[in-house]
Amino acid sequence: MSSSSDEECSDYPRYRDRPEWKDVQPITQDDGEYPVVAIDYSDQYRDVYDYFRGIVARQEKSERALQLCTDALTLNPANYTVWHYRRQILKHLNSDLAKEIEYISDVIGEHPKNYQVWHHRRVIVDWHGDGSLECPFTEEMLRADAKNYHVWQHRQWALSKFKMFDGELEFTERLLEDDVRNNSVWNHRFFVLSSTKEQFSNVLADREIDFVITKLQIALYNESVWNYARGILLYCDSDGPKAKLLKFCNDIYGKGDHGEHSIYLFMFLADNSVEDIENGSGDTNTKLTLATKLYSELALKYDIIRTSYWNFVTQDLRRRFPSSMVE
């Protein structure tokens, strides 16, 4: 904290000047005799944290201690020790947890990328035993930042904890309408499916591949969609959905205007050919020729920033599957 904070809070009553706090012995921070880089804390910061250390030392858990924690967290909302002690006070006082959820909502609104505030909310909501506010709250937070990792993590925890998956796929669809390239939404959609289905049925996989194709028609260069499709196919025990996606890819590749192609389309077709060879499906030489051609096009024209990698993949392919058909 810089000394400029003193000017902002010049009218703030210091704890050391409050008669009701005279019974507490403040404890100053011990940085050692020769601190390497002494932090220039404001007078208010020193005052609040000296008294915080004082109440921790005497293990006081009271309403005034709770207010002191609030003041300490206003100055430093990332202080895990203060949050931990605050929770001890709340439990000791049997405090109104609904009120605490209101408080932490306000703090998160000011500090949405702070690990400690989200952890505190999770603990309090867990104690409260009611997750009904979590989806509306996280949805509101996502409107401000649709890729905030902390928000997504909390939402997934709440969905799992309170079994609130109904309507969640529709929620992801709305967000993808806003931004089809949001990897967080694609990840969340896969999380919802994998959390609610013991196994991916053929009908579900077929539906999801149809959904993927509609999004690829909008954003063929979007890696998130391709990764999602691979995940769906990985858990699918039917060849139908994969065949449908391969037809879509081959139709695009067959048009010949490769300059408009996505590198992820090339990768998907090449990797599929290699998988077919490994599984003994189809003509090996034909598959090898196609895979080598695609990897070479990536190396020489479409993904030259990773030329060395694609050359390595091609060489490894020749080593694993020697054939006179592979030049």
Side-chain angles (χ1 to χ4, degrees):
M1 297 288 292
S2 68
S3 58
S4 62
S5 296
D6 291 330
E7 297 177 3
E8 298 174 5
C9 305
S10 59
D11 59 344
Y12 184 84
R14 302 295 188 255
Y15 279 86
R16 62 175 177 263
D17 298 328
R18 303 182 192 185
E20 67 273 23
W21 283 87
K22 292 298 183 183
D23 60 310
V24 177
Q25 178 62 47
I27 300 175
T28 59
Q29 181 167 309
D30 184 6
D31 290 330
E33 187 175 358
Y34 302 107
V36 177
V37 181
I39 300 175
D40 184 20
Y41 295 112
S42 71
D43 181 60
Q44 181 192 357
Y45 191 96
R46 291 180 185 278
D47 178 71
V48 169
Y49 274 87
D50 286 354
Y51 275 83
F52 172 73
R53 283 184 285 269
I55 65 165
V56 172
R58 56 191 275 170
Q59 284 296 289
E60 178 180 332
K61 297 180 176 69
S62 62
E63 289 293 344
R64 71 172 185 175
L66 187 63
Q67 181 57 50
L68 177 58
C69 287
T70 300
D71 291 342
L73 292 167
T74 299
L75 294 168
N76 182 6
N79 192 311
Y80 176 81
T81 301
V82 182
W83 285 113
H84 176 69
Y85 196 69
R86 183 182 182 89
R87 288 191 289 274
Q88 290 185 355
I89 296 173
L90 291 168
K91 181 169 286 189
H92 179 79
L93 297 178
N94 194 25
S95 298
D96 183 351
L97 297 181
K99 183 177 179 180
E100 184 67 9
I101 290 173
E102 290 181 10
Y103 164 72
I104 193 59
S105 296
D106 291 338
V107 177
I108 289 175
E110 295 293 325
H111 307 280
K113 294 189 177 181
N114 179 319
Y115 280 100
Q116 284 72 30
V117 298
W118 285 104
H119 177 69
H120 184 71
R121 185 181 183 96
R122 175 183 294 195
V123 174
I124 299 304
V125 171
D126 192 17
W127 288 354
H128 195 221
D130 180 4
S132 60
L133 297 178
E134 302 317 289
C135 283
F137 177 72
T138 52
E139 185 169 358
E140 179 183 352
M141 296 301 298
L142 289 171
R143 280 196 288 269
D145 182 356
K147 299 181 181 180
N148 187 328
Y149 164 79
H150 305 281
V151 183
W152 285 112
Q153 184 184 49
H154 184 79
R155 188 179 182 95
Q156 291 183 357
W157 169 79
L159 292 174
S160 299
K161 174 68 179 179
F162 299 103
K163 309 303 179 186
M164 303 184 299
F165 289 99
D166 288 349
E168 200 64 12
L169 286 180
E170 291 76 9
F171 172 70
T172 66
E173 289 172 15
R174 294 198 304 272
L175 291 186
L176 289 172
E177 285 294 324
D178 295 334
D179 181 8
V180 71
R181 294 172 178 80
N182 189 333
N183 183 61
S184 298
V185 183
W186 286 106
N187 174 73
H188 187 66
R189 187 176 180 89
F190 192 84
F191 165 80
V192 172
L193 288 175
S194 59
S195 298
T196 55
K197 307 292 181 183
E198 292 185 2
Q199 61 181 6
F200 283 38
S201 68
N202 296 337
V203 173
L204 183 150
D206 197 62
R207 181 197 73 194
E208 289 304 302
I209 291 302
D210 283 340
F211 183 73
V212 162
I213 290 173
T214 64
K215 299 306 178 184
L216 286 175
Q217 290 171 339
I218 299 171
L220 191 64
Y221 291 84
N222 181 9
E223 184 178 7
S224 303
V225 191
W226 290 101
N227 288 340
Y228 180 79
R230 286 175 180 268
I232 294 296
L233 295 177
L234 183 65
Y235 289 94
C236 175
D237 59 3
S238 169
D239 293 334
K242 185 176 182 180
K244 183 180 293 187
L245 183 56
L246 280 171
K247 181 180 184 306
F248 170 80
C249 294
N250 282 317
D251 286 347
I252 296 176
Y253 183 74
K255 291 178 181 178
D257 186 10
H258 295 178
E260 296 297 322
H261 285 175
S262 160
I263 63 171
Y264 307 111
L265 182 144
F266 277 64
M267 292 164 59
F268 180 78
L269 289 174
D271 292 348
N272 179 73
S273 293
V274 175
E275 290 170 8
D276 284 347
I277 296 169
E278 293 172 338
N279 296 330
S281 175
D283 180 73
T284 298
N285 286 337
T286 300
K287 297 290 184 179
L288 280 170
T289 300
L290 176 60
T292 304
K293 179 176 183 293
L294 289 164
Y295 288 142
S296 296
E297 288 179 321
L298 286 167
L300 299 174
K301 188 173 182 181
Y302 300 114
D303 193 25
I304 58 176
I305 196 171
R306 290 185 289 183
T307 293
S308 297
Y309 170 74
W310 294 120
N311 286 338
F312 167 79
V313 171
T314 303
Q315 292 168 5
D316 184 62
L317 192 62
R318 292 194 179 103
R319 178 187 62 80
R320 293 169 57 201
F321 308 105
S323 171
S324 59
M325 295 296 293
V326 181
E327 299 180 358

